Amino acid sequence: MIQVSDLTAVKSALRAQRIETPSWGYANSGTRFKVFPQPGVPRTPEEKIADAATVHRFTGVAPSVALHIPWDRVEDFGALTRYARDLGVEIGAINTNVFQDEDYKLGSVTNPDPGIRRKATDHLLEAIDIMDATGSRDLKLWFSDGINYPGQDDLRDRQDRLAEALRETYERLGDDQRLLLEYKLFEPAFYATDIPDWGTSYAHCLQLGEKATVCIDTGHHAPGTNIEFIVAFLLRAGKLGAFDFNSRFYADDDLMAGAADPFQLFRIMYEIVRGDALDPAYGINFMLDQCHNIERKIPAVIRSVMNVQEATAKALLVDRDALRAAQREGNVLEANAILMDAYNTDVRPLLAEVREDAGLDPDPVAAYARSGYQQQIEAERAGGQQAGWGA
Ligand code: PSV
Ligand code: MN
């Protein structure tokens, strides 16, 4: 357990922290009303990886990039992996996409048509081939499956179809590969989503086995949901595998992590620290899943990484011995004050020191702005087709 007085341990935990960035966060994105293209946006998976490597260069804690298939499909994934390594990053989670084909209007793995279910499951299996080629550990599954109207399809049959596809996919995993099952309350389905909440995901993961764990996307809950409770519960059950961090004000807004509710992010990270689950060796993949529709993408990802670091630093500063004592005594106000003291600490100087100790600039956003990378990509990435959400 880290003592508040042990700043060395806090610093080394912060230095060891790992945050994975999403390839699609560097691409053009928008709402269903409009996508505003930005100059310098990547046109290829390689250019997305180069941007991710740039984020790592300035933060030192983002050494992997998640891919989304087919958006990031290439002929030779071995070559893409080598390209990434040459730039100092690894390929992270492979995200599947069974939500954009015409065929999936009524669902993918839960579709009433067995032929469409076969096609969807084959895509999940293909993603494991890509993991084999890239060395990725994590297969991340999110299904848009659901129905818009009561009676549209049989809720229970759809669970059976889902379980069958998950089972086939799970059986194909190698020894060191894992399945991360994401949930989302609604959208695009408006009446009933087939994996709407952590409980449904957890139940499927339990049935599948130890290589299946839950992915918490922080934007995928009803307003007011106590996400740190979910974190605590899943950690206790050994079933928390990953986060998709982002912020939401209303629905699945995909804004920068820590922007909407830094206090919530702190409470989540406190449960992680409390569960001794921050160390990369524990195996949680702390990913970002964000879209930067109007702000510059690379500095927005850097800012998001820094926001996660700040929440983590505050969580590490909680005096856990004092907190436990106050809790045992039933000292409500003291216990709350201990938590709030940590939250209200300005950890920016501490993080600046951690960065300087690691040979990094203490201010990654300013360092990025000075680096000329933005001007370089805006000049170089002329012509071709910019990558976009769905491209
Ligand atoms: C779905 O809303 C989601 O959170 C899943 O993780 C998808 O793969 C991702 O967003 C796509 O942007
Ligand atoms: Mn997500």
Side-chain angles (χ1 to χ4, degrees):
M1 198 199 323
I2 291 164
Q3 303 298 316
V4 69
S5 55
D6 192 354
L7 267 186
T8 316
V10 170
K11 281 177 158 185
S12 75
L14 290 169
R15 182 68 201 111
Q17 185 170 24
R18 295 286 170 263
I19 298 162
E20 184 162 309
T21 73
S23 69
W24 55 99
Y26 303 102
N28 280 327
S29 59
T31 66
R32 67 183 189 274
F33 299 104
K34 172 72 181 161
V35 172
F36 297 101
Q38 293 187 20
V41 156
R43 295 156 302 172
T44 61
E46 286 81 358
E47 289 180 349
K48 294 180 200 173
I49 289 171
D51 289 357
T54 303
V55 169
H56 182 46
R57 182 151 65 91
F58 289 103
T59 61
V61 293
S64 61
V65 52
L67 299 187
H68 217 297
I69 309 298
W71 303 338
D72 297 317
R73 198 194 296 285
V74 291
E75 280 290 305
D76 185 345
F77 276 100
L80 190 72
T81 309
R82 288 189 294 279
Y83 174 82
R85 285 196 184 137
D86 285 347
L87 294 181
V89 288
E90 297 284 333
I91 305 293
I94 302 298
N95 288 253
T96 53
N97 183 329
V98 282
F99 49 85
Q100 284 189 307
D101 282 7
E102 295 290 332
D103 280 340
Y104 299 140
K105 186 165 80 175
L106 299 180
S108 63
V109 293
T110 64
N111 196 297
D113 179 337
I116 295 174
R117 295 207 294 277
R118 184 68 260 151
K119 171 180 161 172
T121 308
D122 283 344
H123 172 73
L124 309 184
L125 299 177
E126 181 210 353
I128 304 177
D129 293 339
I130 295 172
M131 292 164 72
D132 292 341
T134 54
S136 301
R137 179 191 58 177
D138 295 337
L139 174 70
K140 180 143 75 69
L141 305 181
W142 172 71
F143 299 103
S144 61
D145 295 45
I147 58 181
N148 276 4
Y149 295 99
Q152 179 189 320
D153 195 7
D154 189 82
L155 290 172
R156 199 167 144 168
D157 284 350
R158 292 177 74 90
Q159 286 301 310
D160 291 340
R161 297 171 198 149
L162 171 66
E164 195 180 315
L166 289 175
R167 170 58 56 198
E168 186 177 342
T169 307
Y170 185 87
E171 298 298 338
R172 164 71 182 79
L173 291 173
D175 289 344
D176 297 326
Q177 295 172 337
R178 314 185 308 172
L179 183 158
L180 304 172
L181 191 57
E182 188 174 350
Y183 58 90
K184 177 169 166 173
L185 179 61
F186 83 102
E187 195 207 18
F190 292 123
Y191 161 60
T193 297
D194 293 310
I195 311 182
D197 54 25
W198 67 272
T200 310
S201 173
Y202 173 65
H204 281 285
C205 288
L206 270 185
Q207 277 179 350
L208 287 170
E210 62 180 20
K211 287 187 274 183
T213 51
V214 179
C215 172
I216 299 178
D217 185 313
T218 48
H220 287 187
H221 309 85
T225 299
N226 181 336
I227 299 176
E228 62 270 25
F229 170 80
I230 302 170
V231 173
F233 184 97
L234 290 175
L235 278 177
R236 184 174 172 276
K239 280 292 184 193
L240 179 55
F243 284 95
D244 270 2
F245 282 127
N246 51 56
S247 280
R248 57 81 64 81
F249 287 97
Y250 298 104
D252 188 20
D253 304 350
D254 280 343
L255 299 173
M256 295 186 294
D261 190 347
F263 184 39
Q264 179 189 63
L265 187 55
F266 159 77
R267 298 190 313 260
I268 290 171
M269 292 314 299
Y270 173 69
E271 287 306 326
I272 291 293
V273 170
R274 157 72 180 83
D276 291 324
L278 183 62
D279 194 308
Y282 186 95
I284 292 182
N285 190 346
F286 297 91
M287 296 178 278
L288 303 176
D289 177 9
Q290 304 182 159
C291 293
H292 306 292
N293 299 350
I294 56 170
E295 65 276 27
R296 280 279 182 273
K297 291 154 200 303
I298 296 169
V301 178
I302 293 175
R303 169 61 61 200
S304 309
V305 168
M306 292 169 70
N307 287 349
V308 176
Q309 287 184 295
E310 285 174 22
T312 308
K314 292 176 182 208
L316 287 165
L317 288 178
V318 172
D319 186 338
R320 286 169 59 190
D321 287 342
L323 180 60
R324 201 168 271 276
Q327 289 169 343
R328 290 220 173 103
E329 285 165 17
N331 193 338
V332 176
L333 288 177
E334 177 64 10
N336 178 242
I338 290 166
L339 208 70
M340 295 311 293
D341 275 349
Y343 175 65
N344 287 319
T345 307
D346 183 358
V347 292
R348 290 171 299 179
L350 173 67
L351 280 161
E353 268 179 47
V354 169
R355 292 186 189 111
E356 279 179 324
D357 289 351
L360 295 164
D361 193 290
D363 183 346
V365 172
Y368 173 74
R370 280 196 312 272
S371 72
Y373 186 83
Q374 187 72 40
Q375 291 80 350
Q376 184 196 325
I377 57 176
E378 288 184 16
E380 283 176 8
R381 295 177 183 172
Q385 171 81 37
Q386 287 190 320
W389 194 92

